[in-house]
């Protein structure tokens, strides 16, 4: 098992506000953690179109919107569903253990 496949604690569940992205870093990789619709998601924090932080955008209907040009990414798959982005961003597995939110940099398939 490589270090990138290990789950690491990124925050407490109690620290997350519904539909409000929280930016964290795991081994230098920026990740946006989002609690929405009763689930917690982790998605790479950099927009594939404009190279800006997605955690500064808004969350709606299990999507995160890039604040700069309006690209929207599905929090479950990382796939864009609004232009100008055409490339997905990585999503990462999340585990909840008690109040701990754990994320692995291993990309989900």
């Amino acid at each position: 098992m490589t270090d990138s496949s290990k789950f690491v604690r990124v925050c407490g569940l109690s620290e997350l506000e519904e539909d409000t992205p929280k930016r964290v870093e795991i081994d230098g990789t920026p990740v946006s953690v989002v609690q929405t619709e009763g689930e917690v998601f982790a998605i790479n924090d950099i927009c594939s179109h404009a190279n800006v932080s997605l955690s500064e955008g808004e969350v709606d209907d299990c999507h995160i919107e890039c604040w700069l040009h309006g690209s929207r990414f599905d929090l479950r798959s990382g796939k864009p569903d609004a232009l100008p982005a055409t490339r997905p961003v990585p999503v990462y597995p999340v585990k909840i253990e008690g109040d701990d939110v754990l994320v692995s940099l291993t990309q989900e398939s």
Side-chain angles (χ1 to χ4, degrees):
M1 181 183 292
T2 64
D3 286 341
S4 65
S5 64
K6 293 181 182 176
F7 283 85
V8 296
R9 183 186 188 281
V10 294
C11 65
L13 188 58
S14 59
E15 296 173 51
L16 297 176
E17 295 180 37
E18 185 78 9
D19 296 332
T20 302
K22 179 175 183 67
R23 187 180 194 273
V24 299
E25 282 202 16
I26 303 171
D27 295 330
T29 300
V31 176
S32 183
V33 179
V34 180
Q35 181 177 358
T36 187
E37 298 183 9
E39 293 186 65
V40 177
F41 300 94
I43 188 167
N44 191 284
D45 191 44
I46 304 300
C47 177
S48 62
H49 168 257
N51 198 31
V52 297
S53 177
L54 290 174
S55 62
E56 295 177 34
E58 294 185 12
V59 174
D60 182 47
D61 193 29
C62 219
H63 289 78
I64 191 166
E65 183 175 313
C66 178
W67 62 270
L68 189 58
H69 294 119
S71 294
R72 286 174 31 106
F73 298 90
D74 189 311
L75 290 167
R76 298 163 290 220
S77 67
K79 293 179 180 174
D81 70 355
L83 294 173
T86 58
R87 291 178 292 127
V89 294
V91 294
Y92 308 109
V94 175
K95 284 186 191 179
I96 307 298
E97 293 182 355
D99 186 56
D100 293 334
V101 177
L102 304 135
V103 175
S104 172
L105 287 184
T106 302
Q107 291 183 31
E108 294 185 335
S109 51

